[in-house]
Amino acid sequence: MEAVNTQDISVNDLPWKIEYKPEQCTLCGSCVAACTFAAIHVDVQRRDVPVSSGTSPEPKAQHLARPVIVQTADLAHSCCGCGMCEKICPNQAIRPVRNPDNRATLLKRHTGPIKRGGRTNLNSQRTLDSIIVGRISQMTDPALDSERHTFDLRAPLGRVVEAKKLPLAVEGDNLIVQEKMPPVRWIYPMIFSDMSIGALSPRAWEALALAVTYLNEKCGLPVRMSSGEGGVPQKLMESDHFKYFILQIASGHFGWNRIVRALPRMKTDPAAVLIKIGQGAKPGDGGLLPAAKVRTHIQALRGVPKATLHSPPNHQGLYSIEESVQKMHLSLNAAFGFRVPVAIKCAASATSVSVYNNLLRDPYRICGGFFLDGIQGGTGAANEVSLDHTGHPIVSKLRECYQAAVAQGLQGQIPLWCGGGIGMTGNAAADAFKMICLGANGVIVGKMLIQLLGCIGNEQGRCNRCNTDKCPTGICTQDPRLMKRLDVDKGAQSVVDYVLAFDEELRKLMAPVGNSSLPVGRSDALVSTDKAVADKLGIQYAC
């Protein structure tokens, strides 16, 4: 007899088990075909079945070999609990269940990262949850009617110049512009975050792009979407819809050869250019697109061979604030004839205020936006140690940047856009309103959009295999067979519906405060139930 190998893996060592009812199974094979991780397979089991074939009960044991569905007891093909087998089974004969008594200890770390789509378990306490809207205008300061009042929900993207410093002169009865004015776009206070084609499937990216176009052209909401670092489809760059997109250049410079070649054929300018210096969910750690996801269409879009693509942790062309201003001035602004705002995206950190102060003092007035990204943003392209142990919460850093600008009388000149956990608990409008009252001009949302498309990852370890190219919902994969699972039109409709609800809820929060336009910096509208938070942010404490 062979010795028992105590290191062998069994089903009970895994975090998810397959509950299978053979009496309901018709062996159609749909569940096995739908499982992208090969966590189940068809096997044959010997069974003793009592059979009685006579007119009177005379049971006899009959040995049968029955095909059954069996869970794969293998770390490389462990079940992630995505539930695709359950969704596709016509007889409800199979489903994943969480293993309450799995024997895994450190073994869990090898079953695949559990903090990708679900983000992290270490930063689940949010400052925004301890902040509430405490100022309700009543007799002394009448509130507005959210249903009938006209609200101006627009935020600037571009350098805003003080009235007394505008390069204007009066010549007779005419007002003339003496020099170039910094370009400004007045857009909706929600930007779809930069998620590249490569990280997302082309169909998922298409669904978001379709939603943005519909919101602009049919709903009258000037929502903008950042392209991400993976490049932009050529047909989009040469279409009239390109004006709804923010063109991003980041540390890997992926896709820029194609963008440069498309410049002469562009019918319209992009909404802005965004230079990504850092990302809040993985500051100091670059993104990683595994070779499995670099399929032929991604190679063509990014201009790279089939290989694992690493975005360096710092921007290779920008090593100082002064150099970044020069880079924007000489290259990106010049490329579009100084017609397009250029913004910078940084990770929230202890140095964020220093960076913002230097940009505010830039005499050339080049920077048209400061995008600040906090630690609670979602990502599928970082190491767990970076996700859990690096970064900075967004709320206090936003507040410090805004107050630093106020101290110099320069608030509003470089718009503050903030992201990182917006909508994390389900209500993005409330989060956005609080951030705006603390000093933001608008918010950036990302993970929320993926959930609207059908992402099933969560912080309890369900799925979260964004980096494997085996996304069961077709959102984060480049496999043509899996991409077909995502309904582009339905996904776009879900995003549109949510943004429309966001718009209505934002108005309902502005009305009681008595603001017709965005209440940027109106911290008097907020109170906190946490004394430490109230003291840090300079808002009222309520108990």
Side-chain angles (χ1 to χ4, degrees):
M1 180 178 176
E2 295 183 8
V4 175
N5 189 341
T6 58
Q7 282 75 39
D8 283 350
I9 302 299
S10 73
V11 170
N12 281 315
D13 290 316
L14 303 176
W16 294 87
K17 293 178 68 175
I18 297 296
E19 184 180 277
Y20 174 62
K21 301 175 182 177
E23 67 278 5
Q24 294 179 213
C25 179
T26 59
L27 296 171
C28 65
S30 298
C31 57
V32 176
C35 182
T36 62
F37 305 102
I40 52 178
H41 61 277
V42 179
D43 205 344
V44 176
Q45 289 183 351
R46 172 182 169 176
R47 295 189 178 180
D48 291 335
V49 180
V51 177
S52 179
S53 57
T55 56
S56 58
E58 295 180 3
K60 297 179 181 179
Q62 185 176 359
H63 304 295
L64 298 175
R66 293 287 305 274
V68 291
I69 307 298
V70 177
Q71 183 174 359
T72 305
D74 178 11
L75 291 176
H77 301 96
S78 60
C79 176
C80 69
C82 68
M84 289 298 145
C85 55
E86 179 184 4
K87 289 184 178 182
I88 204 167
C89 180
N91 298 320
Q92 291 79 49
I94 190 169
R95 70 185 182 106
V97 294
R98 196 179 298 276
N99 187 356
D101 191 28
N102 71 79
R103 297 189 290 266
T105 52
L106 283 177
L107 203 59
K108 280 186 177 180
R109 295 182 62 85
H110 302 289
T111 59
I114 65 170
K115 305 185 184 77
R116 297 284 177 179
R119 182 56 181 94
T120 177
N121 295 320
L122 300 185
N123 301 293
S124 57
Q125 298 299 319
R126 300 192 326 149
T127 305
L128 288 174
D129 295 334
S130 64
I131 300 174
I132 55 178
V133 181
R135 179 183 178 87
I136 309 299
S137 300
Q138 298 181 59
M139 295 295 290
T140 57
D141 189 9
L144 303 174
D145 188 331
S146 64
E147 298 297 330
R148 289 175 292 206
H149 189 77
T150 300
F151 293 87
D152 180 20
L153 300 184
R154 296 295 183 269
L157 179 55
R159 189 62 175 254
V160 179
V161 182
E162 293 180 78
K164 62 183 179 180
K165 293 183 179 180
L166 289 172
L168 302 175
V170 178
E171 191 175 276
D173 295 331
N174 300 319
L175 189 67
I176 61 171
V177 180
Q178 294 179 315
E179 60 184 75
K180 285 187 177 294
M181 294 273 287
V184 179
R185 307 280 191 267
W186 289 90
I187 64 175
Y188 196 72
M190 173 199 281
I191 290 176
F192 288 5
S193 185
D194 36 305
M195 296 175 284
S196 67
I197 302 180
L200 300 184
S201 69
R203 289 176 70 90
W205 206 91
E206 181 187 353
L208 296 178
L210 186 62
V212 166
T213 304
Y214 188 90
L215 286 166
N216 277 272
E217 299 194 351
K218 300 297 183 182
C219 305
L221 297 182
V223 178
R224 298 295 181 261
M225 172 178 168
S226 179
S227 68
E229 190 180 3
V232 182
Q234 187 168 339
K235 288 185 177 180
L236 176 59
M237 288 189 289
E238 297 175 6
S239 76
D240 293 326
H241 304 310
F242 194 41
K243 59 189 174 185
Y244 306 138
F245 293 83
I246 298 171
L247 194 58
Q248 185 185 86
I249 180 171
S251 54
H253 295 83
F254 295 122
W256 269 80
N257 287 340
R258 178 174 288 197
I259 292 171
V260 170
R261 289 197 299 270
L263 277 171
R265 297 187 297 275
M266 288 182 182
K267 296 179 181 178
T268 182
D269 293 329
V273 173
L274 178 62
I275 301 178
K276 189 186 80 174
I277 295 177
Q279 182 172 328
K282 52 190 177 199
D285 189 16
L288 192 70
L289 189 68
K293 298 183 76 170
V294 187
R295 307 247 175 167
T296 306
H297 58 284
I298 300 301
Q299 296 172 39
L301 187 65
R302 297 195 174 201
V304 294
K306 185 172 180 61
T308 296
L309 304 179
H310 182 251
S311 301
N314 62 312
H315 198 293
Q316 298 303 291
L318 308 178
Y319 290 100
S320 69
I321 298 168
E322 293 76 18
E323 192 174 3
S324 69
V325 171
Q326 184 184 33
K327 171 74 75 172
M328 287 186 287
H329 184 279
L330 295 179
S331 60
L332 302 178
N333 259 319
F336 292 98
F338 296 90
R339 301 184 305 270
V340 177
V342 179
I344 283 181
K345 179 178 179 180
C346 294
S349 73
T351 61
S352 298
V353 178
S354 300
V355 175
Y356 189 53
N357 277 334
N358 277 273
L359 293 172
L360 282 169
R361 296 176 187 136
D362 167 32
Y364 300 104
R365 299 178 299 191
I366 296 299
C367 183
F370 192 58
F371 286 45
L372 205 55
D373 199 12
I375 190 174
Q376 289 176 319
T379 181
N383 292 304
E384 288 185 29
V385 66
S386 298
L387 287 172
D388 291 340
H389 301 288
T390 61
H392 197 293
I394 186 62
V395 177
S396 62
K397 198 49 59 181
L398 157 67
R399 189 66 176 153
E400 288 174 13
C401 285
Y402 180 74
Q403 288 176 327
V406 170
Q408 304 170 70
L410 301 176
Q411 69 271 23
Q413 292 195 26
I414 297 182
L416 279 166
W417 290 79
C418 297
I422 304 298
M424 193 174 179
T425 56
N427 197 318
D431 291 349
F433 183 82
K434 296 171 189 177
M435 296 289 278
I436 291 170
C437 287
L438 291 172
N441 291 93
V443 295
I444 312 160
V445 297
K447 177 187 168 186
M448 180 188 79
L449 303 174
I450 304 306
Q451 292 173 323
L452 290 169
L453 292 180
C455 174
I456 54 176
N458 64 21
E459 292 195 4
Q460 286 71 49
R462 188 182 188 201
C463 197
N464 297 325
R465 304 287 181 89
C466 314
N467 60 316
T468 63
D469 198 39
K470 297 178 180 177
C471 173
T473 58
I475 297 172
C476 292
T477 179
Q478 305 302 325
D479 187 332
R481 181 177 65 91
L482 298 178
M483 283 192 286
K484 292 179 181 178
R485 296 183 178 183
L486 179 63
D487 187 325
V488 174
D489 294 333
K490 188 175 181 180
Q493 186 64 54
S494 297
V495 174
V496 168
D497 290 343
Y498 191 92
V499 174
L500 294 177
F502 174 97
D503 183 70
E504 184 175 344
E505 291 183 352
L506 192 58
R507 295 166 190 267
K508 286 187 177 296
L509 287 170
M510 290 172 60
V513 176
N515 260 61
S516 296
S517 58
L518 293 176
V520 178
R522 279 207 59 183
S523 57
D524 63 305
L526 304 177
V527 299
S528 177
T529 56
D530 186 310
K531 186 67 165 61
V533 170
D535 293 342
K536 174 65 178 175
L537 301 180
I539 60 178
Q540 293 184 24
Y541 168 62
C543 60

